[in-house]
Amino acid sequence: MKRNWIIVVLLIIAAGAVVYNQAGENIQAVFMQEQPLPTETGAKEGLLAPSFTLKAMEEDTSYSGGGQRDKAMLINFWASWCEPCKLEAPELSKLASAYPDELDIYGINVSKYDNAKKAQQFVQDFALQYPVLVDPDGEVYEDLYKGKVFPMNVLIDRNGVIQEIILGAPEPEDLHKKVAKLVKQ
């Protein structure tokens, strides 16, 4: 009887070794099924991020958000008079420099609530290292992303799914951890 148990245990170990060798580093995929992408779009974690196209502040270029992308995305809604926006601007530039191949950061100035000259001065003062877009009527901020406070950061994975919406300026260390997790997904 004891001999039979030893044989069963050895067979289980051998089967596990075969499965592991076949799956390699993707062993989790063997045991965990991928969740299907959501079909609903909206300003909520777990939903597809609303699509938009906005012009850049200082160049004649348009940028788009929404849908699947090669990189994860962080959308930062801000205004020049917002003190927490001033605190987080240097951190966003650090993140843009740290993850140039894995993360797109779009700073969206909600110019409905701002002054164009002061917003341009903000960009110069903080030497922002990412595209700064203009939402002249607040449509992207208010209508699509249901913004209520500044700053507001939206973390979106490569599949276009909102992973988190951060209201207010997070602690720099927390923001860096959240972005590191986002780009690994």
Side-chain angles (χ1 to χ4, degrees):
M1 183 75 149
K2 187 176 182 182
R3 187 174 129 197
N4 288 345
W5 280 108
I6 292 173
I7 292 172
V8 169
V9 168
L10 290 175
L11 286 174
I12 291 172
I13 292 171
V18 169
V19 169
Y20 181 79
N21 283 332
Q22 293 297 317
E25 292 181 8
N26 297 321
I27 192 75
Q28 287 181 340
V30 173
F31 297 106
M32 297 173 58
Q33 292 182 344
E34 294 281 328
Q35 289 190 356
L37 289 177
T39 56
E40 186 180 350
T41 299
K44 186 176 175 185
E45 293 173 15
L47 298 182
L48 293 171
S51 296
F52 65 88
T53 300
L54 293 172
K55 290 195 180 249
M57 182 180 279
E58 296 182 357
E59 46 185 276
D60 192 27
T61 305
S62 292
Y63 292 85
S64 296
Q68 291 187 331
R69 309 171 61 83
D70 292 337
K71 300 178 185 181
M73 177 184 274
L74 185 157
I75 302 172
N76 171 251
F77 292 99
W78 64 277
S80 64
W81 49 262
C82 164
E83 290 301 320
C85 297
K86 294 175 185 177
L87 293 174
E88 80 173 357
E91 296 306 319
L92 293 173
S93 286
K94 287 177 188 176
L95 288 168
S97 295
Y99 298 104
D101 298 326
E102 297 105 347
L103 180 69
D104 283 330
I105 297 178
Y106 291 167
I108 300 180
N109 176 255
V110 187
S111 50
K112 175 180 179 178
Y113 300 109
D114 210 347
N115 172 291
K117 286 184 181 180
K118 288 181 180 180
Q120 288 174 340
Q121 189 63 50
F122 182 100
V123 172
Q124 291 174 358
D125 289 349
F126 291 101
L128 300 182
Q129 302 296 310
Y130 47 86
V132 177
L133 316 180
V134 179
D135 186 7
D137 301 318
E139 290 177 16
V140 174
Y141 175 68
E142 291 175 347
D143 299 340
L144 296 180
Y145 285 87
K146 309 300 181 204
K148 301 287 185 216
V149 300
F150 291 115
M152 182 174 90
N153 294 293
V154 183
L155 304 178
I156 304 168
D157 70 15
R158 288 179 176 89
N159 291 316
V161 178
I162 296 176
Q163 296 300 307
E164 187 170 359
I165 298 174
I166 305 167
L167 303 177
E171 291 295 324
E173 185 178 306
D174 290 341
L175 182 60
H176 284 266
K177 285 179 183 177
K178 290 173 188 287
V179 169
K181 180 180 174 185
L182 178 70
V183 298
K184 287 180 184 176
Q185 291 179 338

